[in-house]
Structures are given as structure tokens and as C-alpha cells.
């Protein structure tokens, strides 16, 4: 009987040992499963972060491309700005020469200067240069530079009464504002 008890006790110990081994194996397997699950979640988070970063970089690139294209268009549109700025005083001198009273002997000279003036004006218009309207218009500091204020019974306050020097625009930009007298 003692041997039976010893055998039962050994069986119980062996069963208990096997149970402990099975539970330990389950815990190790559970830990590996938890580790794999955590690694998977981390990999998913990194993938989502990389995807969002890629979307931001792509949006930045699209914005850069659009901005560069706009700058190129503006550069092409206003490339002749320096040329026009240099040519406008020549236009003024032609106008001054034409406004003088030529003598009868200089009729051909006057006609020649008039032809040059018209041709020159046509070239500037083809480049997009236009004169700014001033006389009779309300004073606008974007287009007019007030040199004097004069009292005028004919005009309301703030109206351009005289243009001292023409102003010019290149397409939609002011190259030179018109110098004007404004009614007060």
C-alpha cells in the first residue's frame, strides 16, 4: 500500500508537473503572440505615419510646382519692364518736340518726327504699354502722383485738373504714375 501511495503521489506530481509545463508553454506562446501583435500594431502605425508624410510631401511638391509655374508666367509677362522704363522718357521727348510750333521750313521734319512718334507708340502698345488716363479722373494714388493741389471752381475736390507728365502702365502694372495737379 505504501507503494501504491508512492506511485499515486508520483503520478500526481508528474501530472502536476505536466500541467505546469503546459501552462508555462501556453504563457510563452501567449507572450510570443502578444509580442507579435504589438510588433504588428507598431508596423501599422509606422506605415500610416509614412503614408501621411508621403501625402504631405506630395502636396508640398504640387504647391511648389504651381508656385514655380506662376513665377515663370509673371517673369515672361513682365520681362520687358526694364526696357519700357527706359523707353518712356524717349516717348516724352517726342511729345515735347511735337508740341512745339514748327516753322514752315520744317514741315517735313515735323512730319518725320510725327511718323517716328506714331511708330514708336505702336511698338509700345504691342508690348502692352498704355497711357494712364488722368485729367478729369478722380485722384488715385496707385496711378497718379500729386505734385500740387489747386483750387478749382470747375471740378470737385480730389479730381485731377492737369497732367504735368503722363503715366504709363505695362499690362496691369504701373511703370510710372502720372504727375498731376489735383483740385482741392
Amino acid at each position: 500500500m505504501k507503494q501504491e501511495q508512492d506511485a499515486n503521489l508520483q503520478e500526481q506530481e508528474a501530472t502536476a508537473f505536466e500541467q505546469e509545463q503546459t501552462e508555462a508553454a501556453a504563457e510563452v506562446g501567449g507572450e510570443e503572440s502578444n509580442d507579435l501583435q504589438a510588433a504588428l500594431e507598431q508596423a501599422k502605425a509606422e506605415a500610416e505615419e509614412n503614408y501621411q508624410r508621403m501625402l504631405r510631401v506630395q502636396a508640398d511638391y504640387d504647391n511648389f510646382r504651381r508656385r514655380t509655374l506662376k513665377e515663370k508666367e509673371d517673369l515672361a509677362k513682365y520681362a520687358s519692364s526694364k526696357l519700357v522704363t527706359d523707353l518712356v522718357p524717349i516717348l516724352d521727348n517726342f511729345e515735347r518736340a511735337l508740341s512745339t510750333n514748327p516753322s514752315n521750313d520744317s514741315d517735313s521734319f515735323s512730319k518725320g518726327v510725327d511718323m517716328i512718334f506714331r511708330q514708336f507708340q505702336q511698338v509700345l502698345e504691342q508690348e502692352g504699354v498704355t497711357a494712364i488716363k488722368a485729367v478729369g479722373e478722380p485722384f488715385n494714388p496707385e496711378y497718379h502722383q500729386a505734385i500740387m493741389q489747386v483750387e478749382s471752381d470747375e471740378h470737385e475736390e480730389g479730381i485731377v485738373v492737369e497732367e504735368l507728365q503722363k503715366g504709363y502702365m505695362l499690362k496691369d502694372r504701373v511703370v510710372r504714375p502720372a504727375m498731376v495737379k489735383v483740385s482741392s
Side-chain angles (χ1 to χ4, degrees):
M1 200 118 77
K2 186 163 179 115
Q3 287 177 344
E4 279 183 18
Q5 285 179 349
D6 284 343
N8 278 341
L9 186 60
Q10 283 179 352
E11 274 183 29
Q12 286 176 355
E13 285 178 358
T15 305
F17 180 74
E18 286 177 12
Q19 236 178 2
E20 286 177 7
Q21 290 295 325
T22 305
E23 288 174 6
E27 285 180 13
V28 169
E31 286 177 9
E32 285 179 7
S33 176
N34 288 343
D35 288 346
L36 288 175
Q37 188 67 26
L40 179 62
E41 291 298 325
Q42 184 179 0
K44 283 182 181 179
E46 284 179 14
E48 179 64 23
E49 182 182 331
N50 288 337
Y51 178 72
Q52 292 300 323
R53 187 178 305 139
M54 186 270 311
L55 288 177
R56 285 191 298 273
V57 167
Q58 188 175 17
D60 287 345
Y61 175 74
D62 287 343
N63 290 339
F64 171 77
R65 188 175 45 78
R66 278 192 292 267
R67 186 174 56 248
T68 304
L69 183 62
K70 173 93 169 88
E71 288 172 358
K72 283 181 182 179
E73 288 173 357
D74 282 350
L75 183 62
K77 187 176 180 182
Y78 299 108
S80 59
S81 181
K82 172 81 172 99
L83 170 69
V84 170
T85 303
D86 293 340
L87 291 177
V88 165
I90 297 169
L91 186 63
D92 291 339
N93 290 333
F94 271 123
E95 285 183 336
R96 286 185 196 107
L98 289 174
S99 67
T100 62
N101 238 345
S103 66
N104 289 341
D105 298 332
S106 62
D107 271 347
S108 60
F109 174 77
S110 178
K111 286 179 184 178
V113 170
D114 187 43
M115 285 176 27
I116 293 170
F117 174 72
R118 290 181 197 285
Q119 184 181 17
F120 186 69
Q121 211 171 26
Q122 183 181 18
V123 168
L124 288 178
E125 285 174 5
Q126 288 172 353
E127 286 294 318
V129 178
T130 56
I132 296 173
K133 294 180 182 178
V135 177
E137 299 287 324
F139 176 75
N140 185 342
E142 293 178 19
Y143 303 111
H144 307 127
Q145 180 178 356
I147 302 299
M148 310 175 146
Q149 283 190 330
V150 293
E151 291 187 25
S152 174
D153 296 332
E154 299 174 17
H155 301 288
E156 297 177 18
E157 185 175 334
I159 302 295
V160 175
V161 293
E162 185 179 344
E163 182 178 57
L164 303 172
Q165 185 179 47
K166 279 188 176 183
Y168 294 93
M169 293 184 67
L170 174 61
K171 296 180 176 41
D172 61 348
R173 285 189 184 173
V174 175
V175 174
R176 181 179 74 187
M179 283 195 230
V180 296
K181 290 183 184 179
V182 180
S183 63
S184 58

